[in-house]
Amino acid sequence: LDADNDARRRIARLYDSGLREVDCILPDCRPQTTHVYHQYVVRSPNRDNLRKQLQDNGIAVLVHYPYAVHQQPAYDRCRIGVEGLPNTEAAVSQILSLPIYPELGDESVRHVIEKMKGGA
């Protein structure tokens, strides 16, 4: 498990450095914490176009959470208010999970970064 988490962190560092110039928000890791990067989720105002661009280039990307928690059927009884949760709803419309798993090679990560630069 430790080796797999280290591999994910290494991949995340590659994404972090390679995607700095891309118009998206990268995951944040707070000081004095250690992230395991079960998912590497970016936010892009052009998420749907970016998703298509990556998928058209053979890159498997996902929207793990297409609805905010307060939009789930289990929370129908909660009173959110007429205005909803605009920041949460905006985030849900922008999130995209990039490939990250311990066996993902550096060349594959560079390919994702290259295609992100062309489509973000």
Side-chain angles (χ1 to χ4, degrees), residues 4-111:
D4 283 354
N5 289 338
D6 287 342
R8 288 175 184 272
R9 280 189 283 272
R10 182 187 58 73
I11 293 165
R13 285 191 301 273
L14 291 173
Y15 279 142
D16 288 346
S17 64
L19 296 174
R20 282 189 184 128
E21 300 168 13
V22 175
D23 183 22
C24 65
I25 299 171
L26 304 178
D28 187 29
C29 188
R30 294 186 175 141
Q32 301 173 349
T33 64
T34 304
H35 203 308
V36 296
Y37 295 98
H38 170 68
Q39 298 171 359
Y40 191 91
V41 180
V42 299
R43 283 182 59 180
S44 171
N46 301 312
R47 190 259 322 261
D48 294 333
N49 291 335
L50 178 59
R51 181 181 187 186
K52 182 174 179 351
Q53 165 79 14
L54 295 173
Q55 288 174 333
D56 287 351
N57 281 279
I59 299 168
V61 293
L62 295 170
V63 176
H64 278 96
Y65 305 104
Y67 304 101
V69 170
H70 71 282
Q71 295 170 325
Q72 302 291 332
Y75 292 88
D76 278 348
R77 294 181 184 209
C78 293
R79 303 285 186 241
I80 299 300
V82 176
E83 61 280 341
L85 298 174
N87 293 334
T88 301
E89 292 162 20
V92 165
S93 72
Q94 296 175 348
I95 58 175
L96 186 66
S97 297
L98 302 183
I100 188 164
Y101 51 92
E103 299 82 14
L104 186 64
D106 291 359
E107 189 61 36
S108 294
V109 175
R110 283 190 286 274
H111 178 67

